[in-house]
Amino acid sequence: DAGVTQSPTHLIKTRGQHVTLRCSPISGHKSVSWYQQVLGQGPQFIFQYYEKEERGRGNFPDRFSARQFPNYSSELNVNALLLGDSALYLCASSLGTGMMGDTQYFGPGTRLTVL
Amino acid sequence: AQSVAQPEDQVNVAEGNPLTVKCTYSVSGNPYLFWYVQYPNRGLQFLLKYITGDNLVKGSYGFEAEFNKSQTSFHLKKPSALVSDSALYFCAVRDTDTGRRALTFGSGTRLQVQP
């Protein structure tokens, strides 16, 4: 079975630009979460979506937004890019049962570099 | 708020020796704990989780973890290390004080297994 897929793999942007990252969850999974991993740190939670509704949001500015589509895929958008947005962006999918033990499975990530 | 601490930035062990990667947590309510592994330029791979029940949890690739409620710890162990186990390991705890199902990660521990 295919795992979580993300595109693109790498991306280089300049400050002030906008970027869209995409994620396709594991078949049968209805929940998608986004995390930002800055070099040398653990992933930080950005958003979680379930059935196209935002279920949670981390401590990120309004420049970050996301959405989930009817096929459960998701996009993460970042406006007005800053140098500090350079990071590995990870998408995770889960069944979305709402149970605390629901496991999140991660994709390979999108490496964003802002120059 | 919940938090995870991984007190060692790096753990070095010889191949064939047992390994331990330490994790302590802080959470209100019952803890739901996870271990993930990250290889260079890759996303996170799920190893194991503790929800409830036995304090010794078995996971993928021969890894296991010991949950200790009194010490608020969830240490990752393996009886015999392999060179291929060399990677970055993250402990995570599920958020419990909000409606979201996000994970809070530790800062990671780099495991180096010497041949």
Side-chain angles (χ1 to χ4, degrees), chain A residues 98 100-104, chain B residues 36 38 49 94 100-101 103:
Chain A
M100 296 294 278
D102 194 17
T103 301
Q104 294 186 8
Chain B
Y36 288 85
Q38 186 175 36
K49 65 183 177 183
R94 177 82 77 197
R100 65 189 196 190
R101 295 291 182 262
L103 294 173

Side-chain angles (χ1 to χ4, degrees), chain B residues 11-114:
Chain B
V11 169
N12 297 307
V13 64
E15 187 174 30
N17 282 0
L19 69 87
T20 298
V21 182
K22 295 180 180 177
C23 171
T24 58
Y25 66 89
S26 174
V27 66
S28 56
N30 293 322
Y32 296 83
L33 300 158
F34 300 78
W35 275 102
Y36 288 85
V37 59
Q38 186 175 36
Y39 294 97
N41 300 314
R42 301 281 294 276
L44 275 66
Q45 294 181 27
F46 169 72
L47 285 177
L48 51 79
K49 65 183 177 183
Y50 172 83
I51 303 174
T52 186
D54 288 342
N55 290 341
L56 187 63
V57 179
K58 293 190 182 297
S60 306
Y61 313 118
F63 283 94
E64 55 191 28
E66 186 172 8
F67 171 71
N68 187 316
K69 188 172 184 178
S70 63
Q71 297 185 4
T72 61
S73 66
F74 188 55
H75 300 332
L76 183 69
K77 298 173 184 278
K78 189 174 183 182
S80 179
L82 300 173
V83 172
S84 58
D85 292 330
S86 298
L88 191 55
Y89 290 79
F90 289 98
C91 181
V93 63
R94 177 82 77 197
D95 291 359
T96 59
D97 56 2
T98 66
R100 65 189 196 190
R101 295 291 182 262
L103 294 173
T104 297
F105 285 85
S107 56
T109 298
R110 186 165 302 282
L111 174 67
Q112 196 70 38
V113 181
Q114 285 106 17

Side-chain angles (χ1 to χ4, degrees), chain A residues 31-45:
Chain A
S31 181
V32 169
S33 299
W34 288 94
Y35 292 81
Q36 180 197 64
Q37 186 180 17
V38 174
L39 195 63
Q41 298 180 17
Q44 299 287 319
F45 172 72

Side-chain angles (χ1 to χ4, degrees), chain A residues 1 5 15 22 24 27 30-31 36 40 57 59-60 71 79 81 88 94 108-109 111:
Chain A
D1 288 339
T5 59
R15 282 177 296 175
R22 295 177 174 84
S24 291
S27 178
K30 297 183 178 181
S31 181
Q36 180 197 64
R57 171 187 286 254
N59 189 23
F60 281 80
N71 67 353
N79 293 322
L81 285 166
L88 181 66
S94 62
R111 173 72 63 188

